[in-house]
Amino acid sequence: MQAIVCKEFGELSVLAHGELAEPVPGPGQVKIEVHSSGMNFPDTLMIAGKYQAKPPFPFAPGMESAGLVVALGEGVQGLNVGDRVMAHLSWGGCAEFAIAEAHKTLRIPDSMSFDEAAGFMVTYGTTYHALVDRALIQAGEVLLVHGAAGGVGLNAVELGKLLGAMVIATVGSDEKIDIVKQYGADHVINYIKQDFREVVKELTGGEGADVIYDPVGGDVCDQSMRCINWNGRLLIIGFAGGRIQDIKANMLLLKGCSAVGVMWGGFAGRSVAENHANFAKMFEWYEAGKIKPHIGDRFPLAETREALEFILSRKSTGKVIVTIKE
Ligand SMILES: NC(=O)c1ccc[n+]([C@@H]2O[C@H](COP(=O)([O-])OP(=O)(O)OC[C@H]3O[C@@H](n4cnc5c(N)ncnc54)[C@H](OP(=O)(O)O)[C@@H]3O)[C@@H](O)[C@H]2O)c1
């Protein structure tokens, strides 16, 4: 089958468009004819050999895909050949066929396209879990979202509004302001030009944000700790900025606030029923037109490397999709 092949760890230049053997589903797994795959920052870490999972060579990158179930492994229940699905994969999405664990594979609404489904699972799954299960966000609270035009960030703006929060969003360039506003942000701050800490204080009468959604980390997190409200929840989503911050315990004490780790993949594996219930809710919202996945750009399979470079360029908005079968 056609695939993007990684034969050694390294820069994205190690990727080549080539052939891999078609995979066979083991017990509890399904084989998917992949139509589209969503690209994620951690794909670049896996290719570099810096991710927790290190696949055996040769492998295809790609951690989330959408397509048709074409074969079932032993013991799989609740899914059938021919089902339209989205799946969270260990790797292998940038290929014509991929293997997924059945419990990480979900039937998608009829009205959802494969491109929309391909980039849905990781970012929406993470964001719903973060805001609802981890932060217990309440209507009327102030939600500050960093990296707000990115994959997880734009979902946080959208779901935050839907859950009744007042959303303040930060972005690193003026070009990203419009899309974040379209997704419902009440205020958007370009943090390269303005000190977001001061603006958040101003907008909240000096109190600060109740929930802070932080996929960037580093300095952005350090500054966030200075504009968090009493009883605030700082959601640690990721470190796209490149530095893993140290959070001072005295700041947590003085503000009566919490730093809350969010690891959606771990939650999805340990709390399968709860994770499926989260998606059932989001699919309901999707069908009612309340959420609309934003695809910032599409690339053909042969240009997977360009798709990943685009994510690293910091210019992408929403999800970047690789289309494998039209
Ligand atoms: N905890 C979990 O379960 C979980 C799940 C999914 C993703 N994540 C993590 O969340 C982070 C964001 O993922 P994503 O899919 O939203 O990525 P993305 O689409 O690339 O967005 C990341 C955003 O971070 C901002 N950023 C700030 N400094 C950056 C830098 N030096 N390089 C790149 N981006 C930078 C960028 O916005 P501005 O330039 O506008 O600031 C960018 O839009 C990643 O670290 C990912 O691993 C965690």
Side-chain angles (χ1 to χ4, degrees):
M1 64 172 181
Q2 275 193 66
I4 294 302
V5 183
C6 182
K7 288 185 181 161
E8 58 179 317
F9 293 132
E11 303 281 311
L12 294 177
S13 55
V14 299
L15 297 179
H17 185 197
E19 293 278 330
L20 282 179
E22 239 178 84
V24 178
Q29 298 180 328
V30 299
K31 177 178 175 183
I32 298 171
E33 177 192 67
V34 181
H35 285 236
S36 309
S37 287
M39 296 291 98
N40 287 286
F41 179 76
D43 292 319
T44 66
L45 298 178
M46 188 179 278
I47 294 159
K50 294 179 182 162
Y51 196 65
Q52 50 266 44
K54 293 187 175 51
F57 300 119
F59 71 92
M63 296 180 188
E64 56 176 341
S65 297
L68 292 176
V69 174
V70 290
L72 303 176
E74 205 186 304
V76 171
Q77 290 181 341
L79 289 167
N80 295 301
V81 168
D83 281 349
R84 300 175 77 245
V85 295
M86 63 170 71
H88 182 219
L89 315 170
S90 301
W91 56 81
C94 294
E96 289 180 289
F97 296 94
I99 296 298
E101 300 298 326
H103 71 273
K104 293 182 176 175
T105 306
L106 295 172
R107 260 195 303 272
I108 59 175
D110 291 343
S111 54
M112 188 182 275
S113 71
F114 285 132
D115 275 3
E116 286 178 317
F120 195 98
M121 207 159 191
V122 172
T123 60
Y124 276 105
T126 299
T127 304
Y128 188 100
H129 173 54
L131 296 178
V132 176
D133 303 326
R134 302 296 283 145
L136 306 174
I137 196 166
Q138 303 298 312
E141 287 195 309
V142 175
L143 169 66
L144 172 62
V145 179
H146 295 304
V152 290
L154 199 58
N155 291 167
V157 171
E158 187 181 32
L159 295 184
K161 275 313 284 180
L162 203 51
L163 293 164
M166 193 265 254
V167 177
I168 306 174
T170 74
V171 291
S173 70
D174 286 348
E175 290 73 41
K176 294 180 178 175
I177 292 176
D178 272 358
I179 186 73
V180 176
K181 281 200 171 147
Q182 277 171 39
Y183 273 77
D186 297 282
H187 304 276
V188 186
I189 306 164
N190 177 343
Y191 69 91
I192 305 295
K193 291 184 173 168
Q194 273 183 300
D195 180 345
F196 74 79
R197 190 177 81 176
E198 291 306 321
V199 182
V200 171
K201 285 272 188 68
E202 234 172 80
L203 291 170
T204 57
E207 299 217 302
D210 301 301
V211 177
I212 302 183
Y213 186 94
D214 182 18
V216 178
D219 296 346
V220 163
C221 179
D222 295 344
Q223 295 309 311
S224 293
M225 285 303 293
R226 302 192 173 273
C227 62
I228 190 164
N229 199 357
W230 178 256
N231 199 28
R233 287 85 78 205
L234 170 72
L235 294 166
I236 316 287
I237 307 293
F239 313 101
R243 177 170 73 81
I244 298 177
Q245 63 276 13
D246 293 317
I247 294 173
K248 295 240 163 59
N250 66 327
M251 295 294 283
L252 299 176
L253 181 153
L254 288 170
K255 303 243 178 175
C257 67
S258 322
V260 184
V262 177
M263 175 71 185
W264 173 72
F267 163 74
R270 286 160 193 260
S271 307
V272 174
E274 289 83 348
N275 183 50
H276 286 193
N278 288 354
F279 277 91
K281 183 84 218 160
M282 288 189 281
F283 289 168
E284 215 178 282
W285 284 341
Y286 175 86
E287 286 183 304
K290 292 183 178 173
I291 56 177
K292 177 87 193 117
H294 174 67
I295 298 170
D297 239 302
R298 287 180 177 79
F299 292 80
L301 179 66
E303 289 173 24
T304 297
R305 175 180 156 185
E306 285 78 359
L308 290 168
E309 279 167 349
F310 187 51
I311 289 182
L312 292 181
S313 76
R314 222 168 143 172
K315 292 192 182 121
S316 63
T317 58
K319 290 298 294 195
V320 174
I321 300 298
V322 164
T323 304
I324 291 135
K325 193 174 165 72
E326 295 288 346

